[in-house]
Amino acid sequence: MKQAAPTADLARKHAFKVLADSFETFYGNAIAIDTTHKITWISDGYRKFLGIDHDPAGQPITRYIQNSYLPKVADTGEPILLDLLWLQKRWILVSVIPLQSDEGEIIGAFGFVALDNQKEFSSLTNRVNKLQQQLDCVTSQLNQARKNKYGLSHISGRSEQLLAIKNQVRQAARFDISVLITGETGTGKELFAHALHDLSSRSDKPFISLNVAAIPDNLIEAEFFGVAPGAYTGASKQGRKGKLELANTGTLFLDEIGDMPLEVQGKLLRVLQEKEFEAVGSDTIKKTDIRIVAATSRNLVQMIEDGEFRADLYYRLNGMPIHLPPLRQRLDDIDLIAERILDETCARLNIAPKYLSTGALPVLRSYQWPGNVRELQNVLERAVIMAEDHVEISAQLLTGLLHNDLGTVCIPSSSESVMETFWPQTRSDISETVQQHNRSDLPPIPLSQQLAEAEKAAIKQAIHYTSGHKAKAAEALGISRATLYEKMKKLEI
Ligand SMILES: Nc1ncnc2c1ncn2[C@@H]1O[C@H](COP(=O)(O)OP(=O)(O)OP(=O)(O)O)[C@@H](O)[C@H]1O
């Protein structure tokens, strides 16, 4: 390395001395920490400025300055040349530089108040204050919108069952226990999980959901635990956070928990018991603090008997069970839910509000709703679009739509076999429909539409045949579980 010329060396030493002498005069407020973020030195001026009446050396800096930049600079070695810091109820301008040993190793950080006279940078702080106020306002509006969207009041219905469930949710929210929500598809399991989170003490923390059934078995662990940087060929350099980490301090909603492979069930149990996990390809243990809300449309007790679900995990998850009955068993909810769906759909489509005619409600009440509220939503959304200029949604229109959807009309909810009631389109019915479509005097229906209808009917039939067991339905149809979910989403089943 080139040696500094003697005069340059002298000038440098002199400059440092002047700087050190004038530092106390101009920058009386200064502090230093080590790499463990403990205070190693503080100037008298700064101690007084912070209102500390004892020697804070050896204490963590965050005990006195919670939002200090010093720990970050000590960790990264990157200086912060000038930044605003909100301290002692006012803005100050601070500089923080890393401290290095003679060998160039980072040994801590040193910070000083560059300017604490607000008048001298008032235009800057005024702008920051204004932006901060705007940000606070938007954040509170967002939180309010979230609460309105997911609060219990958003869940429509007046049936005794629904009111009892709302009470259970209020109870469950008071305690930090695992909750298991059971019920057929589309009954509102995710909606109630959201409401539970929003009522709980974790409401301002993340709500993360993971649909176990929609993820191929070989990717589930990565999705759940995350992946360490470069864990395997093709893994990203930065690694990827898993849902457990993303949900930390908040709530993790595990939908379709019954579809979790046995091996992963064991790992989830460990997380629940020990509150720690390791990312795929890592041996570093990470701590986690989450509340689990799990949901399933399957009979977990039966699955335990069949050796498909771990009993110990079931008892862990089932801290408080909440069961959502199907819509056909709480007919008193239908009018309020329908009203809400119509209002929301019309507002979204920017059209005048529409109402159910007097004869329309009995049609809705007499149908079985195998897809529950989600199906009701789909039918009413289509009705709104088809009612065009009419203010009322007629019984006839709904009858037609339900007929079109499932090949039958207004099924009485009593004695017929569930199979006939829900999916009367047996194989021969389907071929009959296709034959009718094939008649040469009828205008042809686009092939894509015919294929979609056929796929929809086949999937519904398979799900019903396997009593809602999606993995078995996918197997019977010769597709993967993830593909089945993809298709169900696309075809709005
Ligand atoms: N009581 C209700 N009031 C208003 N909307 C509802 C009600 N119950 C369900 N919904 C709506 O119905 C749809 C389906 O609900 P959700 O996704 O929560 O059901 P799910 O039981 O989790 O379904 P899946 O088992 O298929 O995941 C959502 O759009 C939800 O907002």
Side-chain angles (χ1 to χ4, degrees):
M1 218 184 4
K2 221 169 136 188
Q3 291 288 316
T7 44
D9 200 30
L10 215 65
R12 199 168 131 257
K13 278 187 181 147
H14 183 67
F16 272 128
K17 174 145 181 20
V18 171
L19 203 64
D21 291 346
S22 52
F23 207 89
E24 283 276 320
T25 319
F26 293 113
Y27 303 114
N29 296 330
I31 191 165
I33 61 165
D34 62 16
T35 49
T36 64
H37 306 168
K38 296 216 173 95
I39 298 171
T40 48
W41 173 82
I42 184 168
S43 70
D44 282 346
Y46 204 32
R47 201 170 46 76
K48 283 186 195 126
F49 177 80
L50 294 172
I52 306 173
D53 58 5
H54 55 276
D55 181 7
Q59 300 296 322
I61 182 147
T62 45
R63 183 164 297 171
Y64 304 97
I65 310 172
Q66 282 178 2
N67 48 346
S68 169
Y69 297 121
L70 279 111
K72 185 174 166 206
V73 172
D75 288 347
T76 61
E78 297 287 329
I80 292 175
L81 294 180
L82 214 52
D83 211 334
L84 283 167
L85 183 73
W86 182 251
L87 200 59
Q88 301 295 88
K89 299 194 178 120
R90 59 172 143 159
W91 288 110
I92 54 173
L93 269 177
V94 295
S95 284
V96 185
I97 48 167
L99 292 173
Q100 290 184 344
S101 66
D102 288 346
E103 289 74 38
E105 191 191 348
I106 305 290
I107 52 166
F110 174 79
F112 61 92
V113 179
L115 211 53
D116 71 347
N117 184 348
Q118 297 233 15
K119 278 194 198 131
E120 293 176 43
F121 55 100
S122 61
S123 67
L124 182 65
T125 50
N126 285 347
R127 262 193 17 232
V128 172
N129 283 339
K130 229 180 186 163
L131 286 172
Q132 187 63 46
Q133 276 167 8
Q134 282 171 359
L135 184 67
D136 290 348
C137 186
V138 172
T139 311
S140 105
Q141 278 171 358
L142 269 176
N143 282 343
Q144 197 50 46
R146 216 183 100 89
K147 283 218 170 353
N148 288 346
K149 190 166 175 217
Y150 293 116
L152 272 189
S153 61
H154 183 78
I155 304 179
S156 311
R158 59 160 72 92
S159 68
E160 267 178 30
Q161 297 100 307
L162 189 94
L163 300 182
I165 293 162
K166 284 191 176 182
N167 272 339
Q168 281 181 300
V169 169
R170 283 190 200 98
Q171 278 289 103
R174 292 176 48 218
F175 306 98
D176 210 29
I177 45 168
S178 300
V179 174
L180 179 63
I181 308 180
T182 52
E184 286 180 12
T185 181
T187 42
K189 296 187 291 294
E190 180 152 15
L191 198 61
F192 273 103
H194 260 294
L196 175 59
H197 169 77
D198 275 6
L199 281 172
S200 75
S201 58
R202 295 175 184 257
S203 64
D204 58 341
K205 300 290 184 317
F207 175 92
I208 301 288
S209 60
L210 175 70
N211 186 336
V212 176
I215 303 162
D217 282 0
N218 57 339
L219 295 183
I220 237 172
E221 282 195 36
E223 199 64 31
F224 204 56
F225 301 104
V227 180
Y232 47 81
T233 325
S236 84
K237 266 195 195 141
Q238 298 83 32
R240 190 157 58 86
K241 283 187 182 167
K243 301 282 186 191
L244 272 178
E245 197 166 348
L246 293 172
N248 198 22
T249 69
T251 304
L252 178 61
F253 175 59
L254 293 175
D255 203 0
E256 299 294 356
I257 188 85
D259 283 40
M260 182 172 270
L262 270 170
E263 199 191 322
V264 188
Q265 287 177 28
K267 293 190 175 170
L268 172 60
L269 184 67
R270 188 185 138 201
V271 175
L272 294 178
Q273 279 170 343
E274 311 195 354
K275 302 193 184 318
E276 55 186 38
F277 66 96
E278 288 145 35
V280 174
S282 159
D283 50 13
T284 310
I285 290 177
K286 289 186 180 175
K287 291 267 173 216
T288 181
D289 163 28
I290 48 168
R291 177 198 221 163
I292 300 259
V293 178
T296 183
S297 53
R298 297 175 64 182
N299 183 343
L300 290 187
V301 176
Q302 183 62 50
M303 287 181 71
I304 293 170
E305 276 173 25
D306 297 343
E308 292 174 6
F309 203 84
R310 288 180 68 130
D312 42 9
L313 178 60
Y314 173 77
Y315 292 117
R316 273 269 163 186
L317 293 173
N318 205 15
M320 179 150 182
I322 294 180
H323 178 69
L324 303 185
L327 198 53
R328 62 184 169 279
Q329 284 172 17
R330 44 186 175 108
L331 296 175
D332 287 346
D333 289 341
I334 289 194
D335 59 336
L336 285 187
I337 301 181
E339 226 168 65
R340 182 183 280 272
I341 295 172
L342 289 180
D343 283 352
E344 284 177 356
T345 310
C346 293
R348 204 175 56 244
L349 299 176
N350 207 13
I351 54 176
K354 294 190 193 292
Y355 310 96
L356 291 178
S357 74
T358 352
L361 191 58
V363 174
L364 297 183
R365 287 177 70 106
S366 62
Y367 180 64
Q368 291 281 298
W369 300 112
N372 294 292
V373 186
R374 187 177 295 108
E375 189 183 8
L376 177 64
Q377 226 167 21
N378 290 342
V379 168
L380 289 178
E381 278 171 7
R382 271 187 281 161
V384 165
I385 291 163
M386 292 179 76
E388 286 183 41
D389 301 332
H390 301 281
V391 176
E392 277 193 346
I393 308 265
S394 68
Q396 203 185 6
L397 174 61
L398 288 178
T399 307
L401 279 174
L402 294 175
H403 175 79
N404 192 20
D405 203 27
L406 291 168
T408 191
V409 208
C410 301
I411 307 142
S413 39
S414 58
S415 57
E416 289 112 317
S417 85
V418 180
M419 179 64 195
E420 282 161 12
T421 311
F422 292 178
W423 288 285
Q425 264 190 338
T426 56
R427 274 160 222 222
S428 61
D429 291 331
I430 293 171
S431 57
E432 211 171 279
T433 319
V434 172
Q435 273 168 26
Q436 274 184 12
H437 283 163
N438 287 345
R439 274 168 48 187
S440 54
D441 56 335
L442 288 176
I445 295 171
L447 188 60
S448 58
Q449 194 182 328
Q450 290 194 52
L451 288 173
E453 288 299 330
E455 261 193 343
K456 201 169 174 174
I459 291 174
K460 281 181 171 179
Q461 195 268 339
I463 292 173
H464 176 67
Y465 184 74
T466 55
S467 310
H469 191 315
K470 307 223 174 60
K472 281 189 185 156
E475 197 184 327
L477 290 166
I479 55 178
S480 72
R481 210 181 44 199
T483 309
L484 176 70
Y485 263 87
E486 217 172 84
K487 287 188 184 290
M488 286 175 68
K489 207 167 162 197
K490 198 168 138 213
L491 297 166
E492 296 187 336
I493 294 174

